[in-house]
Amino acid sequence: MTGPWGRVAKAAMSRPTPCGSFAGSRHVQGQMASHYYTLGIVPSSPMVHHAARNQSAVPRGGLVLRAQRGGNPQVADRVVSSLPYLIPLFDGLRYGKFIFVQYPAVQYVLAPLQPLISLYFGFPFASLVVFFGVYAGIINNQSFSRFVRLNALQAVLLSVILILPGLLESVFLQSPPRGTALQIYIQLSNAIWLFTSVCVAYGIGASLAGRVAQLPFVSSAAEAQVR
């Protein structure tokens, strides 16, 4: 037996292999299989076939790196996924009116968003147009990554939740509250605004960091709907 595979076979036969060690024989068989297939010779031994398949099935480093890069959202996806969280922020402004009076500094934090707020509330049905635009243009648009669509759906669901306090307010507050009822109304409004602002800040921060925020009441529903 001559050639490269002959030298490998002689080395394998001349090297003593303990009876309890099968790893050495598998390694030699894999080397023999590599030499066979490199030279275009199909080995007839089933063991060599098996070793060659196992050796070819080992993942290469490039594939692992590509998978890791694919799982990390791009900067554009992070920015786009953070923008829909402005919808629940704008919809929740009505519940922050008492906090804005008590803590005027909060208004300065929102000052950079004032042009967008004016557009959002200045045109009739602008909120509905934005709502359905995000739902149809991002959430149902398969050209966007799942990361973007999942964050957009979470923002939309958070905005939908804010409809419920408004409905309760229109039903039970037919006249301006007074006394104890006013204090309860102020506390509830402040709580809703704090909940909304924390969720929005968390959602935007997580999106920019390339993560999906686990928001209460909406994350499980969003995960179930976005494929």
Side-chain angles (χ1 to χ4, degrees):
M1 185 180 292
T2 59
W5 60 92
R7 291 194 295 271
V8 174
K10 289 179 181 179
M13 290 185 291
S14 61
R15 182 179 179 180
T17 304
C19 296
S21 176
F22 187 63
S25 62
R26 289 174 61 90
H27 176 70
V28 172
Q29 290 167 0
Q31 288 184 335
M32 293 176 64
S34 299
H35 285 294
Y36 282 135
Y37 281 107
T38 302
L39 297 175
I41 302 174
V42 180
S44 58
S45 172
M47 293 293 292
V48 178
H49 274 293
H50 180 71
R53 285 196 299 268
N54 287 344
Q55 195 175 51
S56 63
V58 175
R60 304 299 181 186
L63 295 177
V64 176
L65 291 177
R66 284 197 294 271
Q68 291 174 350
R69 288 196 297 266
N72 190 21
Q74 300 295 324
V75 175
D77 286 346
R78 299 183 186 191
V79 174
V80 173
S81 64
S82 66
L83 294 179
Y85 285 104
L86 295 178
I87 300 176
L89 177 65
F90 294 166
D91 291 339
L93 287 175
R94 56 182 295 187
Y95 302 107
K97 53 184 178 291
F98 299 110
I99 290 183
F100 298 151
V101 174
Q102 296 174 359
Y103 306 98
V106 178
Q107 301 183 44
Y108 294 103
V109 177
L110 299 175
L113 299 176
Q114 185 59 43
L116 295 178
I117 295 174
S118 300
L119 290 174
Y120 190 77
F121 293 103
F123 292 92
F125 306 108
S127 59
L128 288 177
V129 172
V130 173
F131 181 90
F132 288 107
V134 170
Y135 195 88
I138 297 181
I139 298 174
N140 287 339
N141 190 347
Q142 297 297 324
S143 62
F144 285 102
S145 65
R146 186 179 186 274
F147 172 78
V148 174
R149 293 183 289 114
L150 182 58
N151 278 286
L153 182 56
Q154 286 197 148
V156 167
L157 292 178
L158 185 60
S159 181
V160 171
I161 290 178
L162 295 176
I163 297 176
L164 181 59
L167 293 176
L168 296 176
E169 180 180 354
S170 62
V171 171
F172 294 102
L173 291 181
Q174 300 295 335
S175 59
R178 300 174 182 274
T180 304
L182 177 60
Q183 295 300 319
I184 295 175
Y185 177 66
I186 292 175
Q187 296 300 324
L188 289 176
S189 297
N190 291 346
I192 294 172
W193 165 249
L194 290 175
F195 170 78
T196 304
S197 58
V198 168
C199 288
V200 168
Y202 177 36
I204 293 177
S207 297
L208 294 178
R211 302 291 185 267
V212 177
Q214 297 299 314
L215 301 178
F217 309 118
V218 300
S219 289
S220 58
E223 287 279 356
Q225 294 186 40
V226 177
R227 301 299 179 185

